[in-house]
Amino acid sequence: MNMFAISEPKPSEKWRNRFHESWPRYRDWYLSQGEDARPSIETARMAIRQHMPELLSIYDRVCDIVEPDTLAQRALSLFKMPPVIAGCSVAIAPTETPILVRNYDLTPDFFERTVLHSRWLENDVIATSEGWIGCLDGVNSEGLAVALTFGGRLDYGENGFQTPMLLRYVLEICSTTTQALQTLKRLPVQMVSNVVILDKSGDHAVAYLSPDREMAVRRVPISTNHQLALEWPEGNQWSETAVRADHLAKIRSEYIQLNSFIAEFHQKPLYRTAYDEGLGTLYTVVINPEAQIVEYHWPNESPWVQAMSAFAEGERKLPAYERAQIP
């Protein structure tokens, strides 16, 4: 199983190839609540035009690319999607240079395995693709980095966008942490999520997003899978969110070197292998927003380094995720 790096200013043939590779795996999930639960193309397009008008031309473009598959067109909006729960641990490294480090935890069956370098609007962006038009984490040419985690409650809004779409929008139009927070505050989110934001000045925050509450913000350097409190006892125990948060706080307080800090993400409790439960670590990403460099790390392997100024297309063979079943 490989991870792919592609560079394409606007979605075109490379984007099409990656979409068609993953869409068959996602289609059944997209219909898991019945087709009537999903929005019409007109409704999805109206939501994007209302809340993220700058991305409307991109949405229309990808819809043209996948035509005549109208179901795929609806899915590409990331509006009114089925729920999804992931793990993830994120921390701002205790280094002089602002650095964001995160583990992404999920089942590999729903991992697009695509690093996309693009220029959809005014900003160049390097991002880990999610939902084909959204992203899990990334950095833009203004020196702004973002990463998401599940927020630790099962509250689910019928209307709203999945968080990867919000992250993509922030990277497309924002330059600073303050701008990103202002933007996120006005966007409708479908699930409880945390967004870690770091800009090149070192200004950082965690935005706690919910479909049923106003956005909350804390100027903290850590996010796992809860928000202001532990509110889902079963899920908190299952995900070990408090254990991981405590561990991140501990290793940050030790002011260890960056390489040692990254190495902690490849050990328990941060690194996890319950892939069949959706709690396996798929990659560690290290983002330097000042240098606009993104590094993908795996245990006992050299990092895969991508820079805005020297992005290299190619493939990277991924480790054999235990118990993973990939078509």
Side-chain angles (χ1 to χ4, degrees), residues 169-221:
Y169 185 55
V170 162
L171 290 177
E172 294 295 335
I173 71 165
C174 298
S175 302
T176 66
T177 295
T178 297
Q179 290 177 356
L181 290 171
Q182 292 170 343
T183 300
L184 289 171
K185 186 175 182 178
R186 66 174 175 81
L187 297 175
V189 64
Q190 195 172 16
M191 293 197 63
V192 181
S193 309
N194 306 334
V195 179
V196 181
I197 311 164
L198 172 69
D199 66 27
K200 62 185 178 183
S201 75
D203 189 22
H204 62 271
V206 180
Y208 300 109
L209 308 179
S210 304
D212 59 334
R213 299 175 182 173
E214 291 292 321
M215 183 182 84
V217 176
R218 278 190 174 175
R219 299 285 179 167
V220 293

Side-chain angles (χ1 to χ4, degrees), residues 228-245:
L228 304 181
L230 298 170
E231 299 179 87
W232 182 26
E234 180 183 356
N236 298 334
Q237 182 177 7
W238 169 66
S239 70
E240 297 182 315
T241 180
V243 172
R244 287 182 288 117

Side-chain angles (χ1 to χ4, degrees), residues 35-161:
E35 186 173 349
D36 290 345
R38 308 282 70 85
S40 67
I41 296 172
E42 293 76 16
T43 298
R45 193 173 187 277
M46 185 180 301
I48 294 174
R49 182 172 59 191
Q50 177 182 354
H51 299 287
M52 295 177 274
E54 298 91 337
L55 286 182
L56 186 58
S57 63
I58 297 296
Y59 176 65
D60 288 343
R61 185 183 183 99
V62 296
C63 283
D64 288 342
I65 290 174
V66 303
E67 193 179 18
D69 189 340
T70 57
L71 189 66
Q73 291 173 331
R74 294 157 68 184
L76 283 167
S77 69
L78 298 193
F79 184 69
K80 297 185 67 172
M81 302 285 279
V84 59
I85 297 175
C88 311
S89 305
V90 185
I92 309 302
T95 51
E96 183 176 349
T97 300
I99 300 287
L100 183 151
V101 185
R102 78 93 118 251
N103 275 3
Y104 179 63
D105 303 340
L106 193 66
T107 169
D109 298 292
F110 289 94
F111 179 31
E112 289 179 33
R113 296 176 284 128
T114 303
V115 184
L116 176 62
H117 174 228
S118 62
R119 189 177 178 84
W120 289 358
L121 301 175
E122 296 300 318
N123 295 336
D124 284 85
V125 173
I126 298 176
T128 313
S129 179
E130 174 70 356
W132 314 286
I133 197 172
C135 64
L136 299 167
D137 43 59
V139 67
N140 68 19
S141 51
E142 293 295 313
L144 179 69
V146 293
L148 66 82
T149 74
F150 170 59
R153 290 192 297 121
L154 295 178
D155 291 78
Y156 172 77
E158 291 188 2
N159 292 300
F161 294 93

